[in-house]
Amino acid sequence: MQRFTAPVPLAENRFPDYFLEHDPDHIGVGMLMAHLRHPGDTMNTANLHECAYCRAGTTEPVYCCSACETLDLHVRQIPVLSEQQNPYAYLDQPEFRRLYSHDKQDFNFLFFAEGLHCSSCVHLLEKLPEFYDRIAMARVNFGQSTVAVKLAEGGSLAQVAHVIAELGYKPSPLAAQDNLAARYQSENRSFLKRIAVAGFCAGNTMLFVIPVYSGLAGTWATVFNWLSFALFLPILLYSAQPFYKGAWNSLKYKVINVDLPIAIAMLSGFALSTANLVRGDGDIYFDSTASFMFFILSARYLLKRVQQNYLSPSRMKSFFQMEKYERISGDTSAVIPWSSVNAGDVLKLKQGQSLPSDATLLSSHATLDMSLFNGESLPKVFSSGMTLFAGTKILDDGVLVRMNLQFSESKLGQLLQQLDHGALKKSRFIALTDRLAQWLIITVFSIAVLFFIAYASIDISEAFNRSLALIVLACPCALAFGSPLTFGLALKKSQRLGILLKDATSLERMLEVKNIFFDKTGTLTEGHLSLSHSEPAIISPRLQANILALEATSYHPLAFALRQAWPHPEFMPAVQNAQEILGKGVKGQIDGKIYEIRHLSESTHEDETAIEVLCDGQSLCRLYFLDELRQDSAQAVQELNKRGMNCFLLSGDKKSRVYQAANQCGIARENAHGELFPEDKKDILIRHKNTCMIGDGANDSLSLQAADVGIAVKGSVDLSLNSADVYFTRGGLSPFFDLLKISEQTQNVLKRNLGISLTYNTIGGILALAGFIDPLMAAILMPISSVVIILSSLWGFR
């Protein structure tokens, strides 16, 4: 076991740099980075905690202090097994590492940890870097029972799996396309078997003890007691195994875990009952101990099911739930589920169906609702050969497409996987409740031990029962469970309302926002161009066909506006040497003549965009387009002003257009800024605090990153969420007020759940110590707090 020790002056501000200098072999840097939230974090000496090494004052989360001047980086290292000894050695083979790699995330590998059931499990698994020094970071998603691991260069994936197994959990590496449903099913089946065995044995034990309690004595009473003993053995040897593992981890790794007193209580009850049975004198507790174990297992299963149903985002399922597609193969067709769609399949889509992956359009044209993909509120018309993106909705009937990828490989599929993995990233409130849960365990254990010591001289049996009842009843599961459940429900409700959140921390930051910055195009305006008028006023069908042919494969907003304004021609003229010059226009040869569509630098009105169509250099017509102000923009700004928020308008458009839009929306002229470059917007934002930027995910990426909360309402969803925290798949500003409402609901539910948990534990603890609640009653009452938390959370997001 290696241990790195170096002087750590509290005045030092950049610890990673410091250790790179004093630790040239990089022994301790990996572990240090696991404890710091970001490189360059500083130690706040005003916020002292206890040093894990010398128990003197220190700051969290780094284990160092001025008293010992050491950094205890390698605590309780688990020995690295050889390839022959490690059953997971195959994971270090290159093909398996590639299969399970998650290179596009902030971690490289993901494990499903079967057996993860409480906050103590989370606390233990997030200490993985202390057990294997090549793990730079370990983050547990309680809702999905997964452990995300950042493995340093040269680290062994097999050793990570071994460490997780050594801590008492069954590790299963997950590839990017893996579905957790099968893992849940396996874990639930194992759990139900243990509950079924415990329930069968407890129920039948009661049948044999009732006659004994009713006064049966002699040989038959002895026989019935021995039958109760035999019925308890399956519970002892099978159903209670998870508690043995938890208790052993608690002792081995010095982690406080409620499994320890439960295991002690069960083994003590069994040992005492067996001794009395052999002696033929004294009380027998097989019935109450069996019932105790049955209720404890049932409570944990309830929490596990709620955890799987409400804390696991499963966004991919929600987009295509129960969706079926018609696959065409030659002259035959077959109906298949969305999950069976593969690359190369030809699908015939019905009106209203969403594309299950990126595809190439085979029909001559198709009208699509792009709102899920890029927030556009109005449909777009695509031509044959163009690429259609996963998640877009077909508005025509009988559209033929050829699938290019599986959904999990598409941009949207990869994005949803990324959002699922980061969905329940620990917010400040979750971190607070985790710490409170740990302190609750410590406090409850301390009180229980002190009470047992004090009351043992009066009645040692009663002292044990009351102390055990306190520990069981005041379990911190509901406290630690409440916050992730609340954020999980908030994320699901957001998704239903067309709001994609990168992680739940945005909900907390939204409540602190005071300054709202709007981009103009696509935010306050409709974000799409429509054909306003032309010169001449009437364009012949032939010229329309030629213009549409030139724009047939263009993704420019003007091309979509033209395809929307004019009917699709029955016969599209062929275009030779077609080329699109970014920012200038398109050109190509039709019937031996060179046609060109180019932008006009000036138009008749400030708020119009214009293009000119030429044939062999001669102007044929001019087309003018408008991007109108959204109907709800003025009302939204007015509502924000009433809430005491300051509204700003930032745009790269001409100042005259910006001032006009600001005036129409009710934004003060001094808060309207036009003709800005992206860097200019960023500079304005960083001069303010508590900011929210609402704009285009691509063009406003710098300002979205600079804001405390960045919201993208336009642009590619995958690119937008690289820089923004939130993405609106619905047009308009109404999703912003939905987001505010969800943030307020989340805060209210969090506070209410915290109050319920603390009140329940306080009152229940007092009643348990007073002798009004025995361990069996505590086991029955324990899930009540969790049920109340569940109902409170569901009611809060009704």
Side-chain angles (χ1 to χ4, degrees), residues 3-20:
R3 182 173 176 277
F4 173 68
T5 303
V8 184
L10 288 174
E12 182 62 53
N13 285 329
R14 297 189 65 82
F15 286 94
D17 297 340
Y18 182 86
F19 281 102
L20 282 171

Side-chain angles (χ1 to χ4, degrees), residues 722-740:
N722 286 332
S723 52
D725 304 297
V726 185
Y727 185 87
F728 292 162
T729 63
R730 290 160 48 209
L733 293 175
S734 59
F736 180 79
F737 293 96
D738 291 335
L739 179 61
L740 280 176

Side-chain angles (χ1 to χ4, degrees), residues 82 136 140 339 390 399 409 480 548 607 649 667-668 681 695 717 719 775 791:
S82 65
V140 176
S339 56
V399 174
E409 299 172 343
L548 290 174
D607 55 350
L649 179 56
I667 297 176
K681 295 183 181 181
V717 62
L719 295 177
L791 295 176

Side-chain angles (χ1 to χ4, degrees), residues 705-783:
Q705 290 174 340
D708 294 310
V709 179
I711 301 175
V713 296
K714 185 185 177 186
S716 171
V717 62
D718 58 325
L719 295 177
S720 295
L721 282 173
N722 286 332
S723 52
D725 304 297
V726 185
Y727 185 87
F728 292 162
T729 63
R730 290 160 48 209
L733 293 175
S734 59
F736 180 79
F737 293 96
D738 291 335
L739 179 61
L740 280 176
K741 183 178 179 180
I742 293 173
S743 299
E744 292 167 354
Q745 287 178 326
T746 302
Q747 183 186 55
N748 294 335
V749 173
L750 286 170
K751 290 180 178 179
R752 182 170 64 239
N753 288 351
L754 180 60
I756 291 171
S757 297
L758 295 178
T759 302
Y760 167 87
N761 285 311
T762 301
I763 296 175
I766 293 172
L767 293 175
L769 292 179
F772 293 103
I773 300 175
D774 60 20
L776 179 58
M777 178 93 46
I780 298 173
L781 292 175
M782 184 186 73

Side-chain angles (χ1 to χ4, degrees), residues 529-539 543-544 547 558 561-562 565-566 600 602-613 620-628 657:
L529 296 174
S530 58
L531 183 61
S532 172
H533 61 281
S534 63
E535 295 177 359
I538 299 176
I539 307 297
L543 181 55
Q544 288 184 11
I547 294 173
L558 291 173
L562 290 170
W566 295 334
L600 287 175
E602 295 181 0
S603 60
T604 56
H605 300 285
E606 283 280 336
D607 55 350
E608 287 182 336
T609 299
I611 58 174
E612 186 174 23
V613 181
L620 297 180
C621 66
R622 291 186 175 188
L623 306 173
Y624 298 90
F625 303 83
L626 281 173
D627 182 10
E628 298 179 351
R657 297 179 185 175

Side-chain angles (χ1 to χ4, degrees), residues 40-84:
D41 273 2
T42 62
M43 294 183 67
N44 179 7
T45 55
N47 184 20
L48 289 178
H49 293 271
E50 191 176 58
C51 175
Y53 181 66
C54 74
R55 306 301 175 190
T58 182
T59 56
E60 191 184 27
V62 184
Y63 294 140
C64 55
C65 67
S66 58
C68 64
E69 294 188 334
T70 63
L71 181 65
D72 193 11
L73 294 175
H74 297 270
V75 184
R76 303 185 298 278
Q77 290 278 298
I78 293 177
V80 178
L81 297 183
S82 65
E83 185 176 345
Q84 292 74 24

Side-chain angles (χ1 to χ4, degrees), residues 201-513:
C201 294
N204 283 279
T205 299
M206 294 299 294
L207 294 177
F208 292 112
V209 300
I210 288 175
V212 177
Y213 288 153
S214 300
L216 182 67
T219 303
W220 280 109
T222 303
V223 171
F224 283 3
N225 284 333
W226 276 107
L227 287 172
S228 297
F229 168 83
L231 284 168
F232 189 79
L233 290 178
I235 298 177
L236 180 74
L237 301 176
Y238 175 68
S239 295
Q241 284 184 4
F243 298 99
Y244 300 149
K245 293 179 181 178
W248 175 244
N249 285 338
S250 182
L251 295 172
K252 187 176 181 180
Y253 301 110
K254 299 179 178 63
V255 176
I256 296 175
N257 192 320
V258 76
D259 288 349
L260 179 60
I262 291 175
I264 292 174
M266 185 198 64
L267 293 173
S268 299
F270 173 76
L272 181 60
S273 299
T274 303
N276 291 341
L277 179 60
V278 172
R279 288 190 301 110
D281 183 37
D283 295 325
I284 305 297
Y285 303 104
F286 293 128
D287 57 326
S288 58
T289 308
S291 300
F292 172 75
M293 292 303 301
F294 171 71
F295 285 119
I296 290 289
L297 284 168
S298 299
R300 288 201 171 172
Y301 181 71
L302 169 67
L303 287 179
K304 177 62 67 175
R305 293 297 292 151
V306 172
Q307 169 187 331
Q308 293 168 0
N309 290 334
Y310 291 106
L311 293 178
S312 180
S314 300
R315 298 178 198 246
M316 289 173 61
K317 281 186 179 180
S318 64
F319 276 107
F320 299 100
Q321 190 172 12
M322 304 299 291
E323 188 68 86
K324 297 179 178 64
Y325 293 91
E326 183 181 356
R327 180 169 59 192
I328 306 297
S329 179
D331 296 331
T332 63
S333 64
V335 177
I336 58 173
W338 75 272
S339 56
S340 298
V341 174
N342 295 312
D345 288 349
V346 175
L347 303 183
K348 186 176 183 180
L349 301 175
K350 300 177 182 178
Q351 185 178 15
Q353 284 192 310
S354 295
L355 279 169
S357 184
D358 297 350
T360 299
L361 179 61
L362 300 181
S363 298
S364 60
H365 67 283
T367 306
L368 273 70
D369 177 358
M370 300 279 290
S371 59
L372 175 64
F373 182 74
N374 64 5
E376 293 286 356
S377 57
L378 292 184
K380 300 288 187 183
V381 179
F382 286 72
S383 300
S384 178
M386 297 182 72
T387 299
L388 314 180
F389 297 102
T392 52
K393 184 178 292 186
I394 303 296
L395 300 181
D396 298 322
D397 198 25
V399 174
L400 292 176
V401 297
R402 179 182 289 110
M403 308 313 297
N404 298 335
L405 303 164
Q406 286 186 324
F407 181 75
S408 59
E409 299 172 343
S410 68
K411 288 183 177 181
L412 184 60
Q414 292 177 353
L415 170 71
L416 295 181
Q417 289 176 355
Q418 180 182 350
L419 293 179
D420 282 351
H421 292 319
L424 297 178
K425 179 182 176 182
K426 282 192 176 180
S427 65
R428 287 171 293 180
F429 205 97
I430 290 181
L432 170 64
T433 52
D434 281 350
R435 288 195 295 270
L436 286 175
Q438 290 299 313
W439 279 109
L440 178 62
I441 295 177
I442 295 171
T443 303
V444 167
F445 267 76
S446 301
I447 293 173
V449 170
L450 292 174
F451 179 85
F452 178 80
I453 294 172
Y455 205 80
S457 59
I458 302 173
D459 186 340
I460 189 169
S461 177
E462 188 66 18
F464 178 78
N465 284 335
R466 295 188 187 187
S467 298
L468 178 60
L470 170 65
I471 292 171
V472 173
L473 187 68
C475 175
C477 292
L479 179 61
F481 178 75
S483 297
L485 173 62
T486 301
F487 280 114
L489 291 171
L491 289 173
K492 286 181 178 293
K493 183 172 183 178
S494 299
Q495 182 176 310
R496 290 198 304 270
L497 295 175
I499 302 169
L500 293 182
L501 295 169
K502 187 182 294 184
D503 57 64
T505 61
S506 303
L507 296 172
E508 290 184 335
R509 298 196 302 274
M510 275 300 301
L511 297 174
E512 301 173 356
V513 168

Side-chain angles (χ1 to χ4, degrees), residues 504-790:
T505 61
S506 303
L507 296 172
E508 290 184 335
R509 298 196 302 274
M510 275 300 301
L511 297 174
E512 301 173 356
V513 168
K514 297 297 181 185
N515 298 296
I516 311 289
F517 293 83
F518 296 99
D519 178 41
K520 184 175 76 72
T521 304
T523 304
L524 296 179
T525 65
E526 291 288 353
H528 65 86
L529 296 174
S530 58
L531 183 61
S532 172
H533 61 281
S534 63
E535 295 177 359
I538 299 176
I539 307 297
S540 68
R542 181 178 179 82
L543 181 55
Q544 288 184 11
N546 289 345
I547 294 173
L548 290 174
L550 286 170
E551 299 279 12
T553 59
S554 174
Y555 292 88
H556 193 279
L558 291 173
F560 283 112
L562 290 170
R563 288 193 287 265
Q564 183 70 30
W566 295 334
H568 191 83
E570 293 184 6
F571 301 100
M572 187 82 76
V575 180
Q576 297 176 334
N577 301 323
Q579 57 178 313
E580 183 172 4
I581 304 172
L582 188 64
K584 293 185 178 180
V586 295
K587 64 186 304 185
Q589 191 172 357
I590 301 176
D591 295 334
K593 299 180 180 180
I594 298 176
Y595 283 81
E596 183 179 1
I597 301 175
R598 64 186 183 191
H599 289 274
L600 287 175
S601 58
E602 295 181 0
S603 60
T604 56
H605 300 285
E606 283 280 336
D607 55 350
E608 287 182 336
T609 299
I611 58 174
E612 186 174 23
V613 181
L614 301 98
C615 177
D616 290 335
Q618 298 294 318
S619 177
L620 297 180
C621 66
R622 291 186 175 188
L623 306 173
Y624 298 90
F625 303 83
L626 281 173
D627 182 10
E628 298 179 351
L629 199 69
R630 293 185 183 274
Q631 294 182 352
D632 63 345
S633 294
Q635 184 179 354
V637 171
Q638 184 179 2
E639 177 63 26
L640 291 172
N641 288 333
K642 288 181 181 178
R643 290 172 178 247
M645 297 183 180
N646 301 316
C647 296
F648 297 80
L649 179 56
L650 308 179
S651 178
D653 206 350
K654 292 182 178 181
K655 289 184 178 180
S656 57
R657 297 179 185 175
V658 172
Y659 292 147
Q660 182 183 5
N663 181 60
Q664 291 176 323
C665 292
I667 297 176
R669 186 181 177 89
E670 60 270 18
N671 288 348
H673 305 275
E675 300 178 10
L676 298 175
F677 290 102
E679 294 81 2
D680 300 327
K681 295 183 181 181
K682 177 184 175 182
D683 291 340
I684 293 173
L685 268 162
I686 61 179
R687 292 200 296 267
H688 295 80
K689 295 181 179 180
N690 302 323
T691 57
C692 174
M693 176 68 193
I694 307 177
D696 188 320
N699 297 333
D700 297 318
S701 59
L702 288 178
S703 49
L704 289 170
Q705 290 174 340
D708 294 310
V709 179
I711 301 175
V713 296
K714 185 185 177 186
S716 171
V717 62
D718 58 325
L719 295 177
S720 295
L721 282 173
N722 286 332
S723 52
D725 304 297
V726 185
Y727 185 87
F728 292 162
T729 63
R730 290 160 48 209
L733 293 175
S734 59
F736 180 79
F737 293 96
D738 291 335
L739 179 61
L740 280 176
K741 183 178 179 180
I742 293 173
S743 299
E744 292 167 354
Q745 287 178 326
T746 302
Q747 183 186 55
N748 294 335
V749 173
L750 286 170
K751 290 180 178 179
R752 182 170 64 239
N753 288 351
L754 180 60
I756 291 171
S757 297
L758 295 178
T759 302
Y760 167 87
N761 285 311
T762 301
I763 296 175
I766 293 172
L767 293 175
L769 292 179
F772 293 103
I773 300 175
D774 60 20
L776 179 58
M777 178 93 46
I780 298 173
L781 292 175
M782 184 186 73
I784 289 181
S785 63
S786 299
V787 171
V788 173
I789 292 296
I790 294 168

